[in-house]
Amino acid sequence: MIRMLYLLVKPEGMSVETFRTECLRHYDMSHDVPGLHKYEVRLVAAQPTDTHVPFFDIGPVDAIGECWFENEAAYAIYMASDIRKAWFEHGKTFIGQLKPFRTASIAGNDTAG
Ligand code: 3ML
């Protein structure tokens, strides 16, 4: 499984309620995107700083998204899809800034987690 994690920052001036509504719409739209196995987006409810190891600050983050793909072939289908392109166009309307991470299983293969 290929997994991409995203930190999302809302555009300057957008209300939390509008951002939440658009995240929900983005989630609903994700079900029609070819090659995308699963998409989740969750609002950041708090950003605690009282960590038991040294804290590092990255600035305010409004939501965390994650995309799952079965394999590279599915990812290629996703990238080529016009529905995916329309989904990204919707993303541009409510995602002010985006920080992607491609993550990897700690088991050292693509089948676990
Ligand atoms: C990539 C993405 C991260 C996210 O939260 O949604 C997708 C698509 C998009 O950026 O519009």
Side-chain angles (χ1 to χ4, degrees), residues 2-57:
I2 296 167
R3 293 172 65 162
M4 296 288 302
L5 188 86
Y6 301 92
L7 308 184
L8 282 70
V9 180
K10 66 181 177 58
E12 226 171 283
M14 181 178 280
S15 72
V16 172
E17 181 52 22
T18 299
F19 182 70
R20 189 191 68 78
T21 302
E22 294 304 326
C23 282
L24 188 55
R25 169 96 185 109
H26 210 55
Y27 171 73
D28 289 341
M29 288 176 78
S30 74
H31 296 126
D32 297 328
V33 178
L36 181 60
H37 176 72
K38 178 176 164 181
Y39 171 69
E40 272 189 3
V41 58
R42 293 177 63 81
L43 297 176
V44 171
Q47 292 190 234
T49 57
D50 55 340
T51 50
H52 63 297
V53 293
F55 174 74
F56 83 99
D57 207 351

Side-chain angles (χ1 to χ4, degrees), residues 6 8 26 39 41 65 67 78 87-92 95 98:
Y6 301 92
L8 282 70
H26 210 55
Y39 171 69
V41 58
C67 292
Y78 166 83
W87 191 47
F88 274 28
E89 285 305 312
H90 176 252
K92 287 182 190 172
I95 303 171
L98 188 67

